[in-house]
Amino acid sequence: MRDYADDATAIATLLGSEAAAGRMVGAVKANPYYVIIIEDIEATPPRLQELLARIFSNGVIQDPQSGSKVDFKNCVFFLLTTASHQELANVATKSSGRRERIHNVLQTFQSETMVEGPLLAQICDVFVLTKPSNMVAAEVILLLMQRECERHKLKLEYVDPQLIAEEVRQSQGAAGFGPMPARIGRLMRDPLVRAAQSSQTALSLRRNEITMVHQPELD
């Protein structure tokens, strides 16, 4: 949601206007079975919050371009946030039972953000996620490397521990794991090309043979 400068831009882009179809409305009109993920829900402009609450409550909304009703009843929405993460995690941990957890987390979230009650009232469950441990992060990175090798019909024989450690550090940045598949692809591009040129069947990745990919931190 932080990509949109104001209410009008967010609404026009996602839901549409008289001049153009919205991305979200257009997608659901074409295929009514969608999982829709909205990131940084705390940054949602007030008017868009109202429209989302209406979609969640009624299951339908009018297409601003065509005037026809668009049915969202077969869609599942996930609203993501990183706001006040530690406080929300603490509240969730101290709550007993699902109903109390949902109530306490949403109440705390509303007090810490500009998200209004009508939108939060439509949320049916809350999951507070934590960052993976270094060991889990390393396993995921190795799995991405193995899959990249499999795509080129190669076996991943060895990976320098320093290389894994560097990738784990990168995964802990603000961008998280989101860019990691593309980053691993760029990281392994040259070694994979060299392996193909020399007709290798297995690949070893050593820190001094790899050009590291810089991933800038996000604000």
Side-chain angles (χ1 to χ4, degrees):
M1 282 299 174
R2 299 188 189 280
D3 294 338
Y4 306 115
D6 51 44
D7 227 340
T9 303
I11 292 171
T13 303
L14 294 177
L15 304 182
S17 65
E18 292 182 0
R23 288 170 54 195
M24 190 168 77
V25 165
V28 174
K29 282 180 71 174
N31 178 5
Y33 302 96
Y34 251 94
V35 174
I36 300 171
I37 299 173
I38 301 178
E39 296 183 333
D40 300 319
I41 190 63
E42 72 278 4
T44 308
R47 175 60 181 153
L48 183 55
Q49 288 187 40
E50 293 176 18
L51 293 172
L52 287 174
R54 189 183 305 170
I55 291 173
F56 297 164
S57 176
N58 302 330
V60 296
I61 195 170
Q62 188 177 38
D63 182 353
Q65 187 183 36
S66 66
S68 62
K69 287 186 177 181
V70 183
D71 192 337
F72 283 82
K73 292 175 184 174
N74 293 307
C75 295
V76 177
F77 284 82
F78 287 90
L79 312 182
L80 308 185
T81 181
T82 55
S84 306
H85 178 270
Q86 191 56 54
E87 188 169 354
L88 295 178
N90 292 339
V91 169
T93 301
K94 293 175 182 177
S95 301
S96 58
R98 175 177 173 270
R99 188 169 298 179
E100 182 179 322
R101 171 172 53 82
I102 294 171
H103 175 269
N104 291 346
V105 168
L106 292 179
Q107 188 176 56
T108 303
F109 181 66
Q110 184 177 8
S111 69
E112 296 290 328
T113 67
M114 300 296 290
V115 179
E116 299 293 336
L119 177 58
L120 296 179
Q122 301 302 322
I123 294 176
C124 63
D125 211 339
V126 170
F127 304 93
V128 181
L129 307 179
T130 57
K131 287 186 177 182
S133 67
N134 288 349
M135 183 62 71
V136 171
E139 290 174 354
V140 172
I141 289 162
L142 275 172
L143 180 61
L144 289 172
M145 290 177 171
Q146 287 171 350
R147 288 183 176 176
E148 197 68 24
C149 284
E150 288 170 2
R151 287 179 56 231
H152 294 81
K153 296 180 170 54
L154 288 168
K155 177 185 176 182
L156 183 60
E157 195 168 68
Y158 170 81
V159 182
D160 191 326
Q162 291 185 352
L163 186 59
I164 293 293
E166 172 62 20
E167 295 310 304
V168 168
R169 190 190 69 78
Q170 288 288 341
S171 74
Q172 294 171 342
F177 269 101
M180 194 55 66
R183 176 184 164 81
I184 294 297
R186 294 194 301 272
L187 186 77
M188 297 180 65
R189 185 180 303 146
D190 289 346
L192 287 169
V193 168
R194 289 195 296 268
Q197 290 173 343
S198 57
S199 301
Q200 293 176 224
T201 58
L203 182 68
S204 294
L205 295 173
R206 291 179 170 77
R207 177 66 177 80
N208 60 353
E209 298 174 355
I210 296 275
T211 301
M212 301 305 293
V213 180
H214 175 64
Q215 178 175 304
E217 294 292 325
L218 300 181
D219 294 331

